[in-house]
Amino acid sequence: MGKGSGLDLTISYQIVTELHQGKLNCNSTLGKGAEFVVTLPLKAKKIQQQQVNQ
């Protein structure tokens, strides 16, 4: 524990927001922990645009 590059959350954020057009939120309380909420759309805009272009 406590070791690593610290990039996992950055990569997760990019995947959720850029690839899937979703949202990644963090709710935390000092000494009690953190909750991460991932919200994804039913269909991503990029996927819809690709289907229209085909």
Side-chain angles (χ1 to χ4, degrees):
M1 283 187 63
K3 294 181 181 179
S5 63
L7 296 174
D8 294 336
L9 190 55
T10 300
I11 293 168
S12 299
Y13 181 83
Q14 288 176 336
I15 290 170
V16 169
T17 60
E18 294 175 15
L19 185 60
H20 297 290
Q21 287 79 50
K23 294 180 182 181
L24 179 60
N25 296 309
C26 176
N27 304 316
S28 65
T29 303
L30 187 61
K32 293 193 175 188
E35 170 189 50
F36 290 89
V37 179
V38 178
T39 306
L40 298 172
L42 291 176
K43 287 191 176 183
K45 291 179 184 176
K46 287 183 183 178
I47 294 171
Q48 289 174 346
Q49 289 174 354
Q50 288 174 354
Q51 289 174 348
V52 169
N53 292 334
Q54 291 180 358

